[in-house]
Every structure is written in structure tokens, then in C-alpha cells.
Amino acid sequence: MTNKEILNNYVYKLVSALHATGIKDVVVSPGSRSTPLAYAFAHRKEFTLYRQVDERSAAFLALGLAKASTKPVVLVCTSGTAAANYFPAIVEAKIARVPLIVLTADRPHELREVGAPQAIAQTHLYGDQVKWTVDFPIPDDSQQTLPFIERHIARAVAIASTHPYGPVHVNVPFREPLLIDFPEQLPAVSFTESISSQLKPTEHAMNLFETVIEQAKKGFIIVGELPGRTDVTYIWQLVRRLKWPVLADSLSQLRANVPEDCEAYIIDQYDALLKNEAFKQMAAADTVIRFGAQPVSKPLMQFLTYCEPSTYLVVDEDPMFRDSLSLSTMHIQASIDQWLNDLIINPANIDSAYVNLWTQSNEAAEAKVETYKLEESDEGAMAAVLFQSLPDESNLFASSSMPIRDVDTFFSKTSRDIHIYANRGANGIDGVVSTAIGTQLATKRDTYLLIGDLAFLHDSNGLIATRYQECDITIVIMNNDGGGIFSYLSQSTVEQHYEELFGTPSGLQFADLAKMYDAEYEPVHTKEELKKVVQRPKAKALRIIEVFTNRAQNLEAHRNLWDAIGKELDKKWQV
């Protein structure tokens, strides 16, 4: 058997094994050592191939595809620092529980640690930031090699797709020459299926849940970011039955598509409410039930520490449940499913006055926010205009720092079908543009990215992806010339060095960058301009709207809003 035949058999067995597991999407960055894999994926019509020359952006593009599709996505790169550039997205994927199959081509074993070019230590490159890693054997004609490849690919996909989802790393060494043939069919596989079990609670867990509800007098539900495959109709059914306040995180997918009979119980202004000390005292709970990830809101996290509920039940898919506050008293490892409907619950003991405290305070806060939207012209009001203008059946992707916090404050519950995404695993600002593009490519929905100027600069290379595949996306850049989030933090109280270290103004605007990518570009200075631009049909698939705001004005307006809500609460409850 020739070397080329050996390489063909090896590569196409790997590709065929991925196809057998249901893999559809592959993101490839160009490079020499990964030539066999790149050619094989490009030639096969069973896969959708996405291209991005910047590996850091490519990894986040794959992250967005997998986040929105909830299915594993393959990443392919060459050896050396190309693989290292995947690391930030892999970190995010691990914490955010997003399934990625990372294929890094490598030098053969004899070229490792001997000074060969583009050769780094790749075998455990990502450490414990991946769920599993394997170093494949070099292509050869051994009888055991191809069965090993086939089953370890099945294992990799199964591990990535088992609760909690996450990234896996397959390191694939190749010797030169690297060229392969293009056969008409993929080889057959003998390993046909890997079946994972469902995460259902035990009878004891269900009894525990029922007892928690029955004994609660002052209780509320927190719904954080849920796995993308979650059927939230089970949550809505629980809301109807319990009639408890539901503090719906901006990423919970419970602020949009809200059923009319559940609307009153969805608390979307808790972040502002919990800045009021008197309200915090009245709202202290004895029971909290949380589904999904910890919430975005810092005031909510501080409130939980303040009231220390005697019962804090977390429902999560991972036995290593998320509890940074060390407050949880119970944990049920389960997916959100039919079992919620099967619960026999009696919420009769819940204090109706306590429920009214939340719902009526939320209504009062909503009224103040509506006034704010009409009267103010700062960044928050601009964001609110964007949210109100989003069309039905669209996506909103929010960057970390101020954009996600403005979503938490100004994205009010709505009956419109809007999916909200963000990278809140590691909460970084890297790769946001690319991840947003990935969500659009996966969903084919009208997608809007809300991002600050620094985060946009951080991943402006992500726009390279628009040169290789059509990406229908509107990017709204809130340009306050620097790091606006730091204005709300303790660093801002120290004037010396603050602006150079945290404000970090660049003085950059993005008209020329938009021109470079042949994007539709609109500069905006007022709410009226923003509303008009967003609601106008797009002239091009890529649209960049640059909204010019002022950091100092943003800070003052936000604080005035919180103060107005606080005074209204004091008045309403006669504190």
C-alpha cells in the first residue's frame, strides 16, 4: 500500500466517522499541516464548510454555530500557534457548555521537541479546559489504526454531547507528503451509534422538590441561561401552576415569547429593584429555586447573599453545580423536561402579599423605565430603542460589559419571538463579533449584535468571515470611546491614571473599516435616527450602525434611573 493510500484511508475514515455521528458543520482555517483534513471536508457535500483565516475568530465562529444549533461543530487548524489561538473560545465553550470537536493537525512524533518549525507541545495544549483530549496515531497500515480512529471519533463526539456539553480535543499528526485523493463516496463505518442517557430526577428528588414548594412562604424562581436545546414550555407550565415571581435572566429565553397568562409573574426589573435597600429587606425570601446558570445581575447575586434563603434549590445538568456564593442547600441533577409537569405541587402556603410585592414593584419600575426611554438620550436609552425595534423572529447577541447589562435593564418582556445570546461563560469581550456571526449562520434568523467600541476592536478580524460566506447581520456599536463599564466600578473613584488604564479612549471611528468590508454604514447620534435606521430595510447583508454616546452622560443617566425607581418604591411601600 502506498503512503498516499494509507493517508486517504486514515483521513476519510476520520471524516466518515464524524459524519456517522451526525456532524454537519465544519470551520476550517488554512494551513499546511492540516491539508488532508481541509481537502477532505471541502470535498464532501455531507458537510457545510465555513472558512475563517484568523484562528482565534474561527474558534469563536464555531462557538456561535454550536451555541445556536446546540450540536457539535468541528474546528480544523494547522499545527503550532494556530492551535493556541483556539484557546479563548475553548475556555468559553467549557464554562458555557458548548460542544466543539477541535481537530488540531500536528507534526509527526519525530519532529516534536527537536526544534522543528511550527511544532509546539500540542498533546495537552488546552489542559482541563476541554472535557477530553486524545493524541491520534500517525497514519500507517496497521490493522488496529482505522478501528481506533473510528471509535475514538465516536467517543469524542459522545463526550462533547454528554451533559454537561463541552469541547474535546483531537490532535492529529501527519507526515509529508500531505496530498490526498477525492473519492466519490465515504468509507463505511462499523461503529454505528453512541446512545447517551437522559438526565431525569429520581423519585426522591421529585419528592424533595414537591416538599420545597409546599413549605415555602416567601419564595421566587430564578431562571438563568439554559442549555440551548431546552424546551421552555415546561418552565411556563410550572409558572402557571406555582404563580411565584420569576426573576428571568436576560439569557433565560423567558423575556421573549412570553405567554399572556404568565406575563404578570415575569420580573424583568429585578436588577433595579434590588438596588433599593428597603425593597431588599421586604423581598427577603425563605425559598429560592434556580434553573440553569447563575444570573448576569450583580445586585441579584448580592441580594441572595444578603437574605441567605434557608432553602436554595438548584436544578442543573452537571453534578458539579454552579454556586459561586456557596448558598445552595439542595441540588437536583436533571434536564428540564416532562418531569416538571409530573410534579404534584401545592403552592397554597405562599404569601400572596409577597408575590404582590414583586409584581407591583416590577410594574412601578417598568413605568419609570418607560419614562426614561422617552426622556433620556444616553446609551441605555439608545439600547432600549434597539430592543423595541427588533423584528419578530430575530436574534439579539449582546457583548459582555455594558451591552449585556443594558439588556438586563432595558429589554422588557415581550410576546415577540427574540432569542438573546451572549458569551457569559468566561464573560470576556474576545470573539464577540465572530460568535454573533456564528449564531446567525446557524439559525438563519435576522441577527443584531450590540457591542461596545473596545469589544468590536478586539474582534474586528471576525468580519473576515463575511468575505467567505454571506452573513446577514446588523452590528450596532455603542461608541463611547473607551471602557464604559469601568465608570460603574470602584476604579472610577481614583482619578489618577484612571483614563489611561481603564477609560482607554482610542479616538477611533469605524466608517473606514465598514468600507473595507463593503458593509452598509450608518452613523447615529439620536434615538430617532437609530430607530429609523434599524427599521429601514438593509441595503447589504452586513450592516454596521455606529452610535456615538458619552460615558459620563451614560453613568449619570443610569444612576438617575436607579434613584427614581428607588424613590418610587419608597413611596409605594411607604418606607
Side-chain angles (χ1 to χ4, degrees), residues 51-368:
R51 294 171 293 158
Q52 169 56 282
V53 299
D54 183 314
E55 283 86 2
R56 187 180 73 166
S57 294
F60 279 103
L61 179 69
L63 179 82
L65 285 163
K67 180 189 286 283
S69 69
T70 71
K71 297 177 181 177
V73 172
V74 169
L75 262 171
V76 179
C77 74
T78 191
S79 63
T81 57
N85 277 295
Y86 281 170
F87 198 77
I90 287 172
V91 169
E92 175 66 25
K94 175 68 181 302
I95 302 174
R97 304 177 178 178
V98 179
L100 295 178
I101 312 298
V102 182
L103 302 183
T104 57
D106 199 357
R107 266 28 187 184
H109 298 74
E110 68 270 15
L111 293 183
R112 298 177 183 177
E113 299 185 11
V114 293
Q118 208 170 328
I120 66 173
Q122 290 182 200
T123 52
H124 289 278
L125 181 61
Y126 307 117
D128 59 5
Q129 299 305 316
V130 290
K131 293 183 67 179
W132 182 62
T133 186
V134 59
D135 187 26
F136 270 13
I138 201 78
D140 60 25
D141 59 357
S142 170
Q143 185 178 354
Q144 290 79 30
T145 298
L146 296 186
F148 175 93
I149 295 298
E150 183 180 330
R151 282 151 184 80
H152 278 67
I153 286 294
R155 180 186 292 186
V157 176
I159 292 172
S161 310
T162 300
H163 309 297
Y165 285 18
V168 297
H169 174 213
V170 180
N171 195 57
V172 190
F174 293 113
R175 287 195 184 101
E176 294 180 335
L178 301 169
L179 297 182
I180 60 172
D181 294 325
F182 299 114
E184 293 185 4
Q185 292 183 329
L186 287 173
V189 295
S190 58
F191 186 88
T192 57
E193 194 168 8
S194 175
I195 302 172
S196 61
S197 59
Q198 292 181 308
L199 277 179
K200 292 183 176 294
T202 63
E203 182 179 353
H204 171 69
M206 293 184 67
N207 291 338
L208 178 67
F209 200 110
E210 293 164 352
T211 301
V212 165
I213 292 171
E214 186 175 346
Q215 294 178 350
K217 292 182 173 56
K218 295 183 177 182
F220 59 81
I221 296 171
I222 298 172
V223 183
E225 183 176 12
L226 301 170
R229 61 204 173 278
T230 302
D231 184 349
V232 295
T233 57
Y234 295 113
I235 298 286
W236 292 127
Q237 284 292 89
L238 183 65
V239 172
R240 292 185 181 99
R241 297 169 70 193
L242 281 186
K243 297 180 171 56
W244 285 17
V246 180
L247 280 57
D249 183 83
S250 51
L251 299 177
S252 66
Q253 309 306 340
L254 295 186
R255 293 216 191 169
N257 247 339
V258 180
E260 187 176 356
D261 60 344
C262 296
E263 184 178 350
Y265 302 104
I266 297 299
I267 309 300
D268 55 4
Q269 299 298 324
Y270 57 83
D271 187 83
L273 297 177
L274 293 173
K275 288 182 171 70
N276 180 267
E277 290 299 321
F279 179 83
K280 284 171 61 176
Q281 294 179 24
M282 293 184 289
D286 56 51
T287 303
V288 174
I289 299 173
R290 195 192 85 212
F291 295 95
Q294 297 179 111
V296 169
S297 170
K298 187 175 181 179
L300 174 52
M301 301 293 277
Q302 292 172 333
F303 171 65
L304 292 171
T305 302
Y306 164 80
C307 69
E308 283 192 79
S310 55
T311 301
Y312 188 171
L313 172 62
V314 177
V315 179
D316 199 354
E317 294 182 341
D318 191 349
M320 195 169 167
F321 53 94
R322 294 166 282 197
D323 180 21
S324 64
L325 302 178
S326 299
L327 288 175
S328 58
T329 61
M330 304 172 182
H331 174 260
I332 295 176
Q333 184 186 6
S335 299
I336 293 170
D337 210 332
Q338 176 62 38
W339 67 272
L340 282 177
N341 289 348
D342 296 337
L343 291 169
I344 301 171
I345 57 178
N346 177 22
N349 290 331
I350 198 72
D351 186 348
S352 59
Y354 181 78
V355 176
N356 290 337
L357 170 71
W358 278 101
T359 58
Q360 293 177 22
S361 297
N362 197 68
E363 290 174 1
E366 285 175 336
K368 289 297 180 183

Side-chain angles (χ1 to χ4, degrees), residues 306-442:
Y306 164 80
C307 69
E308 283 192 79
S310 55
T311 301
Y312 188 171
L313 172 62
V314 177
V315 179
D316 199 354
E317 294 182 341
D318 191 349
M320 195 169 167
F321 53 94
R322 294 166 282 197
D323 180 21
S324 64
L325 302 178
S326 299
L327 288 175
S328 58
T329 61
M330 304 172 182
H331 174 260
I332 295 176
Q333 184 186 6
S335 299
I336 293 170
D337 210 332
Q338 176 62 38
W339 67 272
L340 282 177
N341 289 348
D342 296 337
L343 291 169
I344 301 171
I345 57 178
N346 177 22
N349 290 331
I350 198 72
D351 186 348
S352 59
Y354 181 78
V355 176
N356 290 337
L357 170 71
W358 278 101
T359 58
Q360 293 177 22
S361 297
N362 197 68
E363 290 174 1
E366 285 175 336
K368 289 297 180 183
V369 170
E370 288 303 314
T371 300
Y372 174 96
K373 293 175 183 177
L374 292 172
E375 296 179 353
E376 295 293 340
S377 57
D378 75 310
E379 198 168 293
M382 290 283 198
V385 167
L386 171 64
F387 304 152
Q388 290 175 327
S389 302
L390 293 176
D392 198 26
E393 298 184 350
S394 62
N395 295 336
L396 170 65
F397 199 102
S399 177
S400 292
S401 297
M402 280 310 297
I404 189 61
R405 287 169 173 80
D406 279 338
V407 173
D408 218 26
T409 300
F410 299 110
F411 191 98
S412 302
K413 52 192 172 186
T414 177
S415 61
R416 287 172 294 157
D417 176 14
I418 299 171
H419 292 176
I420 304 176
Y421 298 97
N423 285 342
R424 295 299 294 177
N427 302 350
I429 64 168
D430 39 358
V432 174
V433 173
S434 298
T435 315
I437 290 174
T439 61
Q440 189 280 317
L441 291 170

Side-chain angles (χ1 to χ4, degrees), residues 432-483:
V432 174
V433 173
S434 298
T435 315
I437 290 174
T439 61
Q440 189 280 317
L441 291 170
T443 62
K444 310 302 181 190
R445 287 163 61 111
D446 201 4
T447 299
Y448 296 78
L449 166 61
L450 178 64
I451 190 169
D453 53 299
L454 291 186
F456 182 73
L457 283 169
H458 208 280
D459 192 31
S460 60
N461 272 7
L463 294 178
I464 297 173
T466 67
R467 309 306 295 170
Y468 303 118
Q469 43 266 316
E470 186 168 302
C471 307
D472 189 2
I473 188 168
T474 295
I475 300 174
V476 181
I477 305 168
M478 292 292 180
N479 192 343
N480 55 33
D481 196 20

